[in-house]
Amino acid sequence: MLSCKEVAERASALIDGELGMFDLLQMRLHLAMCKGCSAFVRQMRITRDLTASAALLDDQRADEVDRRIAAILSRLPDGRHTGP
Amino acid sequence: MKPDMADETALVAQLATGDRAAFECVYRKHNASMLRICEGMIRNRATAEEVVQDSWVAVLNGIGRFEGRSSLAGWIFAILVNKARSRAQRDGRMISFESDGEEDGLAAAFDGRGRWKDMPDLWETITPDRIVEGRNMLAHVAAAIDALPASQRSVLILRGQQDLDPSEVCAILNISEGNMRVLLHRARLSVRNSLDAILAGSRS
């Protein structure tokens, strides 16, 4: 029987689908009986999903992006990337 | 072959012909993540912005040499990390992404028999848009990611946000897969801990 500490250590592997059959069964057995670990695994799933969503926050302002892209393109040797 | 590889081949061809719209699309997808990783390694915003710009120039100049052996994103981030590494070395610092050896964020959460001292909360009230302490939960997550050590931050961004394959992340950062999993787990624990503290503060 896994302890809560051991379940917590395997939480990322569980939510990423990386556990082998034996570990997975042990985890499920523990989670079926332990409210604390179930809540923790739920927190880790929420954390994973919010982390993925947070990447979309970085939407930058259009004029700022234009300025930076222009700066990059001006450094190319052959005048490429001048089209629309 | 992955379903999106045909799209990627087309995108690479467009980049090679100098298509500005194609470049803007790639730029918007990766630039903010590149800057976050780079700033974690370089620890100076202005220098990090320079290194990211240099990386984009190298990407466009070298796109003809991209052979599709990794994903385009993997190739771009490899260029970035190499440039950031060289820059840090020039400034007299060695960058290693090996595990930092710290204890993980739950070291004090369990009793001697490995049971929770305090039961984890259900987080029933959390949504991405929920405002606590003046900003929404996504902004809190972004701040927590920025507070991570460079190794954890890089793994979390490459794996958890940019969705690169584990093997690509390991090659870019020069770490083993086991090490990457440890870093990813620790990074998530830190973000989880800061969200938990923020939510606990809002309940009391």
Side-chain angles (χ1 to χ4, degrees):
Chain A
M1 183 78 186
L2 294 173
S3 68
C4 297
K5 188 165 187 274
E6 289 167 327
V7 169
E9 283 162 2
R10 291 160 175 73
S12 279
L14 174 74
I15 65 176
D16 291 338
E18 290 169 347
L19 287 180
M21 190 59 84
F22 182 69
D23 279 342
L24 188 59
L25 285 174
Q26 285 202 306
M27 289 286 275
R28 286 197 178 142
L29 190 64
H30 183 112
L31 289 170
M33 294 186 295
C34 179
K35 281 199 175 114
C37 285
S38 298
F40 177 74
V41 168
R42 182 182 136 84
Q43 291 177 351
M44 290 294 274
R45 280 187 212 280
I46 292 171
T47 301
R48 177 195 63 192
D49 296 346
L50 288 178
T51 298
S53 304
L56 308 173
L57 259 195
D58 290 319
D59 223 3
Q60 301 147 72
R61 287 172 44 212
D63 54 345
E64 178 71 9
V65 171
D66 280 345
R67 195 179 60 73
R68 283 167 191 264
I69 287 180
I72 292 163
L73 300 185
S74 72
R75 290 179 53 195
L76 296 183
D78 53 3
R80 289 185 303 155
H81 291 270
T82 50
Chain B
M1 189 185 244
K2 285 190 185 173
D4 54 22
M5 266 183 79
D7 293 350
E8 189 154 296
T9 308
L11 184 61
V12 169
Q14 285 174 315
L15 287 176
T17 61
D19 185 312
R20 191 190 185 284
F23 177 54
E24 181 166 337
C25 167
V26 177
Y27 177 94
R28 282 184 177 276
K29 208 165 150 193
H30 304 307
N31 190 69
S33 292
M34 291 164 73
L35 196 52
R36 278 171 190 274
I37 289 177
C38 196
E39 213 182 341
M41 296 172 66
I42 304 264
R43 298 182 208 161
N44 176 295
R45 177 78 181 192
T47 312
E49 283 185 2
E50 265 176 48
V51 171
V52 170
Q53 193 189 85
D54 289 350
S55 302
W56 281 122
V57 171
V59 163
L60 290 174
N61 275 330
I63 192 72
R65 291 191 295 278
F66 174 71
E67 293 172 328
R69 267 183 274 170
S70 63
S71 66
L72 178 62
W75 186 70
I76 291 172
F77 279 101
I79 289 174
L80 171 82
V81 168
N82 285 336
K83 286 204 177 289
R85 218 191 270 277
S86 317
R87 181 58 183 249
Q89 268 169 24
R90 218 175 79 196
D91 297 344
R93 287 193 308 116
M94 290 294 290
I95 302 270
S96 166
F97 293 103
E98 292 297 314
S99 168
D100 29 35
E102 289 168 30
E103 289 191 319
D104 75 35
L106 289 179
F110 302 99
D111 66 20
R113 293 169 63 183
R115 292 176 307 200
W116 294 102
K117 286 185 199 157
D118 296 307
M119 279 290 159
D121 183 73
L122 271 177
W123 282 15
E124 278 170 324
T125 57
I126 195 169
T127 66
D129 300 327
R130 169 139 184 246
I131 308 283
V132 183
E133 292 171 14
R135 38 184 191 180
N136 69 27
M137 296 316 289
L138 291 184
H140 283 296
V141 170
I145 294 171
D146 281 346
L148 294 172
S151 52
Q152 294 180 24
R153 173 167 18 179
S154 303
V155 169
L156 191 63
I157 291 172
L158 293 176
R159 196 70 194 103
Q161 294 191 323
Q162 293 282 319
D163 209 20
L164 296 191
D165 277 349
S167 58
E168 287 190 336
V169 176
C170 293
I172 291 167
L173 302 178
N174 194 25
I175 55 177
S176 69
E177 259 193 65
N179 209 331
M180 185 199 69
R181 297 216 158 86
V182 169
L183 290 169
L184 180 64
H185 185 59
R186 284 184 184 170
R188 277 195 193 131
L189 286 180
S190 294
V191 175
R192 175 262 178 199
N193 286 351
S194 29
L195 293 180
D196 201 44
I198 289 160
L199 291 169
S202 75
R203 278 194 297 272
S204 59

